[in-house]
CSV table of all heavy atoms in Angstrom, one decimal:
chain,number,residue,atom,x,y,z
A,38,PRO,N,-25.9,11.5,-9.8
A,38,PRO,CA,-27.2,11.7,-10.5
A,38,PRO,C,-28.2,10.6,-10.2
A,38,PRO,O,-27.9,9.5,-10.0
A,38,PRO,CB,-26.8,11.7,-12.0
A,38,PRO,CG,-25.4,11.6,-12.1
A,38,PRO,CD,-24.8,11.3,-10.8
A,39,ALA,N,-29.5,10.9,-10.2
A,39,ALA,CA,-30.5,10.0,-9.9
A,39,ALA,C,-30.8,9.2,-11.2
A,39,ALA,O,-32.0,9.1,-11.7
A,39,ALA,CB,-31.8,10.6,-9.4
A,40,TYR,N,-29.7,8.5,-11.8
A,40,TYR,CA,-29.9,7.7,-12.9
A,40,TYR,C,-29.8,6.2,-12.4
A,40,TYR,O,-28.8,5.9,-11.8
A,40,TYR,CB,-28.8,7.9,-14.0
A,40,TYR,CG,-28.8,6.8,-15.0
A,40,TYR,CD1,-29.7,6.6,-15.9
A,40,TYR,CD2,-27.7,5.9,-14.9
A,40,TYR,CE1,-29.7,5.5,-16.8
A,40,TYR,CE2,-27.6,4.8,-15.7
A,40,TYR,CZ,-28.6,4.7,-16.7
A,40,TYR,OH,-28.5,3.6,-17.6
A,41,ILE,N,-30.7,5.4,-12.8
A,41,ILE,CA,-30.7,4.0,-12.3
A,41,ILE,C,-30.7,3.1,-13.5
A,41,ILE,O,-31.4,3.2,-14.5
A,41,ILE,CB,-32.0,3.8,-11.5
A,41,ILE,CG1,-32.1,4.8,-10.4
A,41,ILE,CG2,-32.0,2.3,-11.0
A,41,ILE,CD1,-31.0,4.7,-9.4
A,42,SER,N,-29.7,2.2,-13.5
A,42,SER,CA,-29.6,1.2,-14.5
A,42,SER,C,-29.5,-0.2,-13.8
A,42,SER,O,-28.6,-0.4,-13.1
A,42,SER,CB,-28.4,1.4,-15.4
A,42,SER,OG,-28.2,0.3,-16.2
A,43,ASP,N,-30.5,-1.0,-14.0
A,43,ASP,CA,-30.6,-2.3,-13.4
A,43,ASP,C,-29.7,-3.2,-14.2
A,43,ASP,O,-29.9,-3.5,-15.4
A,43,ASP,CB,-32.0,-2.8,-13.4
A,43,ASP,CG,-32.1,-4.3,-12.9
A,43,ASP,OD1,-31.1,-4.8,-12.5
A,43,ASP,OD2,-33.2,-4.8,-12.9
A,44,ARG,N,-28.6,-3.7,-13.6
A,44,ARG,CA,-27.6,-4.4,-14.4
A,44,ARG,C,-28.1,-5.7,-14.9
A,44,ARG,O,-27.5,-6.3,-15.8
A,44,ARG,CB,-26.3,-4.7,-13.5
A,44,ARG,CG,-25.6,-3.4,-13.2
A,44,ARG,CD,-24.4,-3.7,-12.4
A,44,ARG,NE,-23.7,-2.5,-11.9
A,44,ARG,CZ,-22.7,-2.4,-11.1
A,44,ARG,NH1,-22.2,-3.5,-10.7
A,44,ARG,NH2,-22.2,-1.2,-10.7
A,45,ASP,N,-29.2,-6.2,-14.3
A,45,ASP,CA,-29.7,-7.4,-14.8
A,45,ASP,C,-31.0,-7.2,-15.7
A,45,ASP,O,-31.7,-8.1,-16.1
A,45,ASP,CB,-30.1,-8.4,-13.7
A,45,ASP,CG,-28.9,-9.0,-13.1
A,45,ASP,OD1,-27.9,-9.1,-13.7
A,45,ASP,OD2,-29.0,-9.4,-11.9
A,46,GLY,N,-31.3,-6.0,-15.9
A,46,GLY,CA,-32.5,-5.6,-16.6
A,46,GLY,C,-32.3,-5.0,-18.0
A,46,GLY,O,-31.1,-4.8,-18.4
A,47,ASP,N,-33.3,-4.6,-18.7
A,47,ASP,CA,-33.2,-4.2,-20.0
A,47,ASP,C,-32.4,-2.8,-20.2
A,47,ASP,O,-31.7,-2.7,-21.1
A,47,ASP,CB,-34.6,-3.9,-20.6
A,47,ASP,CG,-35.4,-5.2,-20.8
A,47,ASP,OD1,-34.7,-6.3,-20.9
A,47,ASP,OD2,-36.6,-5.2,-20.9
A,48,SER,N,-32.5,-2.0,-19.2
A,48,SER,CA,-31.9,-0.7,-19.4
A,48,SER,C,-30.4,-0.8,-19.5
A,48,SER,O,-29.7,-0.1,-20.2
A,48,SER,CB,-32.2,0.3,-18.2
A,48,SER,OG,-31.8,-0.3,-17.0
A,49,HIS,N,-29.8,-1.7,-18.7
A,49,HIS,CA,-28.3,-1.9,-18.8
A,49,HIS,C,-27.9,-2.4,-20.1
A,49,HIS,O,-26.9,-2.0,-20.8
A,49,HIS,CB,-27.9,-2.9,-17.6
A,49,HIS,CG,-26.4,-3.0,-17.6
A,49,HIS,ND1,-25.5,-2.0,-17.2
A,49,HIS,CD2,-25.6,-4.1,-17.7
A,49,HIS,CE1,-24.3,-2.4,-17.3
A,49,HIS,NE2,-24.3,-3.6,-17.6
A,50,TYR,N,-28.6,-3.4,-20.7
A,50,TYR,CA,-28.3,-4.0,-21.9
A,50,TYR,C,-28.6,-3.0,-23.1
A,50,TYR,O,-28.0,-3.0,-24.2
A,50,TYR,CB,-29.0,-5.4,-22.1
A,50,TYR,CG,-28.5,-6.4,-21.2
A,50,TYR,CD1,-29.1,-6.7,-20.0
A,50,TYR,CD2,-27.2,-7.0,-21.4
A,50,TYR,CE1,-28.6,-7.7,-19.2
A,50,TYR,CE2,-26.7,-7.9,-20.6
A,50,TYR,CZ,-27.4,-8.2,-19.4
A,50,TYR,OH,-26.9,-9.1,-18.5
A,51,ASP,N,-29.6,-2.1,-22.9
A,51,ASP,CA,-29.8,-1.1,-23.8
A,51,ASP,C,-28.6,-0.2,-24.0
A,51,ASP,O,-28.2,0.3,-25.0
A,51,ASP,CB,-31.0,-0.2,-23.4
A,51,ASP,CG,-32.4,-1.0,-23.7
A,51,ASP,OD1,-32.3,-2.0,-24.4
A,51,ASP,OD2,-33.4,-0.5,-23.1
A,52,LEU,N,-28.0,0.1,-22.8
A,52,LEU,CA,-26.8,1.0,-22.8
A,52,LEU,C,-25.7,0.3,-23.6
A,52,LEU,O,-25.0,0.9,-24.4
A,52,LEU,CB,-26.3,1.3,-21.3
A,52,LEU,CG,-27.0,2.4,-20.6
A,52,LEU,CD1,-26.3,2.5,-19.2
A,52,LEU,CD2,-26.8,3.7,-21.3
A,53,LEU,N,-25.5,-1.0,-23.3
A,53,LEU,CA,-24.4,-1.7,-23.9
A,53,LEU,C,-24.6,-1.8,-25.5
A,53,LEU,O,-23.7,-1.7,-26.3
A,53,LEU,CB,-24.3,-3.1,-23.3
A,53,LEU,CG,-23.7,-3.3,-22.0
A,53,LEU,CD1,-23.9,-4.7,-21.4
A,53,LEU,CD2,-22.2,-3.0,-22.0
A,54,SER,N,-25.9,-2.0,-25.8
A,54,SER,CA,-26.3,-2.0,-27.2
A,54,SER,C,-26.0,-0.7,-27.9
A,54,SER,O,-25.4,-0.6,-29.0
A,54,SER,CB,-27.7,-2.4,-27.4
A,54,SER,OG,-28.1,-2.4,-28.7
A,55,ALA,N,-26.5,0.4,-27.2
A,55,ALA,CA,-26.2,1.7,-27.8
A,55,ALA,C,-24.7,2.1,-27.9
A,55,ALA,O,-24.2,2.7,-28.8
A,55,ALA,CB,-26.9,2.8,-26.9
A,56,PHE,N,-23.9,1.6,-26.9
A,56,PHE,CA,-22.5,1.8,-26.9
A,56,PHE,C,-21.8,1.2,-28.1
A,56,PHE,O,-21.1,1.8,-28.9
A,56,PHE,CB,-21.9,1.1,-25.6
A,56,PHE,CG,-20.4,1.2,-25.4
A,56,PHE,CD1,-19.8,2.5,-25.5
A,56,PHE,CD2,-19.7,0.1,-25.1
A,56,PHE,CE1,-18.5,2.6,-25.4
A,56,PHE,CE2,-18.4,0.2,-24.9
A,56,PHE,CZ,-17.7,1.4,-25.1
A,57,GLN,N,-22.2,-0.1,-28.4
A,57,GLN,CA,-21.6,-0.8,-29.5
A,57,GLN,C,-22.0,-0.2,-30.8
A,57,GLN,O,-21.3,0.0,-31.8
A,57,GLN,CB,-21.9,-2.3,-29.5
A,57,GLN,CG,-21.3,-3.1,-30.7
A,57,GLN,CD,-21.3,-4.5,-30.5
A,57,GLN,OE1,-21.8,-5.0,-29.5
A,57,GLN,NE2,-20.8,-5.3,-31.5
A,58,LYS,N,-23.3,0.1,-30.9
A,58,LYS,CA,-23.9,0.7,-32.2
A,58,LYS,C,-23.3,2.0,-32.5
A,58,LYS,O,-23.1,2.4,-33.7
A,58,LYS,CB,-25.4,0.7,-32.1
A,58,LYS,CG,-26.1,-0.7,-32.2
A,58,LYS,CD,-27.6,-0.5,-32.2
A,58,LYS,CE,-28.3,-1.9,-32.4
A,58,LYS,NZ,-28.0,-2.9,-31.4
A,59,SER,N,-23.0,2.8,-31.4
A,59,SER,CA,-22.4,4.2,-31.7
A,59,SER,C,-21.0,4.0,-32.2
A,59,SER,O,-20.5,4.8,-33.1
A,59,SER,CB,-22.4,4.9,-30.4
A,59,SER,OG,-23.7,5.2,-29.9
A,60,ILE,N,-20.2,3.1,-31.6
A,60,ILE,CA,-18.9,2.8,-32.2
A,60,ILE,C,-18.9,2.3,-33.6
A,60,ILE,O,-18.2,2.7,-34.5
A,60,ILE,CB,-18.1,1.8,-31.2
A,60,ILE,CG1,-17.9,2.5,-29.9
A,60,ILE,CG2,-16.8,1.4,-31.8
A,60,ILE,CD1,-17.2,1.6,-28.8
A,61,ARG,N,-19.8,1.4,-33.8
A,61,ARG,CA,-20.0,0.8,-35.2
A,61,ARG,C,-20.3,1.9,-36.2
A,61,ARG,O,-19.9,1.9,-37.3
A,61,ARG,CB,-21.0,-0.3,-35.2
A,61,ARG,CG,-21.2,-1.0,-36.5
A,61,ARG,CD,-22.4,-2.0,-36.4
A,61,ARG,NE,-22.1,-3.1,-35.5
A,61,ARG,CZ,-23.0,-3.7,-34.8
A,61,ARG,NH1,-24.3,-3.3,-34.8
A,61,ARG,NH2,-22.7,-4.7,-34.0
A,62,GLY,N,-21.1,2.8,-35.7
A,62,GLY,CA,-21.6,3.9,-36.6
A,62,GLY,C,-20.7,5.1,-36.6
A,62,GLY,O,-21.0,6.2,-37.2
A,63,SER,N,-19.6,5.0,-36.0
A,63,SER,CA,-18.5,6.0,-36.0
A,63,SER,C,-18.9,7.4,-35.4
A,63,SER,O,-18.4,8.4,-35.8
A,63,SER,CB,-18.0,6.2,-37.4
A,63,SER,OG,-17.4,5.0,-37.9
A,64,ASP,N,-19.9,7.3,-34.4
A,64,ASP,CA,-20.3,8.6,-33.7
A,64,ASP,C,-19.5,8.6,-32.4
A,64,ASP,O,-19.9,8.1,-31.4
A,64,ASP,CB,-21.8,8.5,-33.4
A,64,ASP,CG,-22.3,9.9,-32.9
A,64,ASP,OD1,-21.6,10.6,-32.2
A,64,ASP,OD2,-23.5,10.2,-33.3
A,65,VAL,N,-18.4,9.4,-32.4
A,65,VAL,CA,-17.5,9.4,-31.3
A,65,VAL,C,-18.1,10.0,-30.0
A,65,VAL,O,-17.9,9.6,-28.9
A,65,VAL,CB,-16.2,10.1,-31.7
A,65,VAL,CG1,-16.4,11.5,-31.9
A,65,VAL,CG2,-15.1,9.8,-30.6
A,66,ASN,N,-19.0,11.0,-30.2
A,66,ASN,CA,-19.6,11.7,-29.1
A,66,ASN,C,-20.6,10.8,-28.4
A,66,ASN,O,-20.7,10.8,-27.2
A,66,ASN,CB,-20.2,13.0,-29.5
A,66,ASN,CG,-19.2,14.0,-30.0
A,66,ASN,OD1,-18.2,14.3,-29.3
A,66,ASN,ND2,-19.3,14.5,-31.3
A,67,ALA,N,-21.4,10.1,-29.2
A,67,ALA,CA,-22.4,9.2,-28.6
A,67,ALA,C,-21.7,8.0,-27.9
A,67,ALA,O,-22.0,7.6,-26.9
A,67,ALA,CB,-23.3,8.6,-29.7
A,68,ALA,N,-20.6,7.5,-28.5
A,68,ALA,CA,-19.8,6.4,-28.0
A,68,ALA,C,-19.3,6.8,-26.6
A,68,ALA,O,-19.4,6.0,-25.6
A,68,ALA,CB,-18.7,5.9,-28.9
A,69,LEU,N,-18.7,8.0,-26.5
A,69,LEU,CA,-18.2,8.5,-25.2
A,69,LEU,C,-19.3,8.7,-24.1
A,69,LEU,O,-19.1,8.4,-23.0
A,69,LEU,CB,-17.4,9.8,-25.4
A,69,LEU,CG,-16.1,9.6,-26.1
A,69,LEU,CD1,-15.5,11.0,-26.5
A,69,LEU,CD2,-15.1,8.8,-25.2
A,70,TYR,N,-20.5,9.1,-24.6
A,70,TYR,CA,-21.6,9.4,-23.7
A,70,TYR,C,-22.0,8.0,-23.1
A,70,TYR,O,-22.1,8.0,-21.8
A,70,TYR,CB,-22.7,10.0,-24.4
A,70,TYR,CG,-24.0,10.1,-23.6
A,70,TYR,CD1,-24.2,10.9,-22.5
A,70,TYR,CD2,-25.0,9.2,-23.9
A,70,TYR,CE1,-25.3,10.9,-21.8
A,70,TYR,CE2,-26.2,9.1,-23.1
A,70,TYR,CZ,-26.3,10.1,-22.0
A,70,TYR,OH,-27.4,10.1,-21.2
A,71,TYR,N,-22.2,7.0,-23.9
A,71,TYR,CA,-22.6,5.7,-23.4
A,71,TYR,C,-21.5,5.1,-22.6
A,71,TYR,O,-21.8,4.3,-21.6
A,71,TYR,CB,-23.1,4.8,-24.5
A,71,TYR,CG,-24.4,5.3,-25.1
A,71,TYR,CD1,-24.5,5.7,-26.5
A,71,TYR,CD2,-25.6,5.5,-24.4
A,71,TYR,CE1,-25.6,6.2,-27.0
A,71,TYR,CE2,-26.7,5.9,-25.0
A,71,TYR,CZ,-26.7,6.3,-26.3
A,71,TYR,OH,-27.9,6.9,-26.8
A,72,LEU,N,-20.3,5.3,-23.0
A,72,LEU,CA,-19.2,4.8,-22.1
A,72,LEU,C,-19.3,5.4,-20.7
A,72,LEU,O,-19.2,4.8,-19.7
A,72,LEU,CB,-17.8,5.2,-22.7
A,72,LEU,CG,-16.6,4.9,-21.9
A,72,LEU,CD1,-16.4,3.4,-21.6
A,72,LEU,CD2,-15.3,5.4,-22.5
A,73,GLY,N,-19.6,6.7,-20.7
A,73,GLY,CA,-19.7,7.4,-19.4
A,73,GLY,C,-20.8,6.9,-18.6
A,73,GLY,O,-20.7,6.6,-17.3
A,74,MET,N,-21.9,6.5,-19.2
A,74,MET,CA,-23.1,5.9,-18.5
A,74,MET,C,-22.7,4.6,-17.9
A,74,MET,O,-23.0,4.2,-16.8
A,74,MET,CB,-24.2,5.8,-19.4
A,74,MET,CG,-24.8,7.2,-19.9
A,74,MET,SD,-25.6,8.1,-18.7
A,74,MET,CE,-27.3,7.4,-18.9
A,75,LEU,N,-21.9,3.8,-18.7
A,75,LEU,CA,-21.5,2.4,-18.2
A,75,LEU,C,-20.5,2.5,-17.2
A,75,LEU,O,-20.5,1.8,-16.2
A,75,LEU,CB,-20.9,1.6,-19.4
A,75,LEU,CG,-22.0,1.2,-20.4
A,75,LEU,CD1,-21.3,0.8,-21.8
A,75,LEU,CD2,-22.9,0.1,-19.9
A,76,ILE,N,-19.6,3.5,-17.2
A,76,ILE,CA,-18.6,3.8,-16.1
A,76,ILE,C,-19.4,4.1,-14.8
A,76,ILE,O,-19.0,3.6,-13.8
A,76,ILE,CB,-17.6,4.9,-16.5
A,76,ILE,CG1,-16.7,4.4,-17.6
A,76,ILE,CG2,-16.8,5.4,-15.3
A,76,ILE,CD1,-15.8,5.5,-18.2
A,77,HIS,N,-20.4,5.0,-15.0
A,77,HIS,CA,-21.2,5.3,-13.8
A,77,HIS,C,-21.8,4.1,-13.2
A,77,HIS,O,-21.9,4.0,-11.9
A,77,HIS,CB,-22.3,6.3,-14.3
A,77,HIS,CG,-23.2,6.7,-13.2
A,77,HIS,ND1,-24.3,6.1,-12.9
A,77,HIS,CD2,-23.2,7.8,-12.4
A,77,HIS,CE1,-24.9,6.7,-11.8
A,77,HIS,NE2,-24.2,7.8,-11.5
């Protein structure tokens, strides 16, 4: 997919932040989605 995440930029840290907040908020589907983006 033409998804770009600059690992040194805001978009990558936004993903990590959303990943943690989704786990903290017990939203399993969101947590898995952001995990997939980070794996990508």
Side-chain angles (χ1 to χ4, degrees):
Y40 163 74
I41 305 302
S42 171
D43 178 2
R44 293 181 188 175
D45 286 337
D47 291 340
S48 61
H49 185 64
Y50 292 101
D51 286 346
L52 275 184
L53 287 167
S54 176
F56 179 51
Q57 180 165 1
K58 288 179 172 68
S59 297
I60 291 177
R61 183 186 295 150
S63 302
D64 189 327
V65 69
N66 296 306
L69 287 170
Y70 170 75
Y71 292 117
L72 173 64
M74 298 287 271
L75 290 165
I76 288 171
H77 180 272

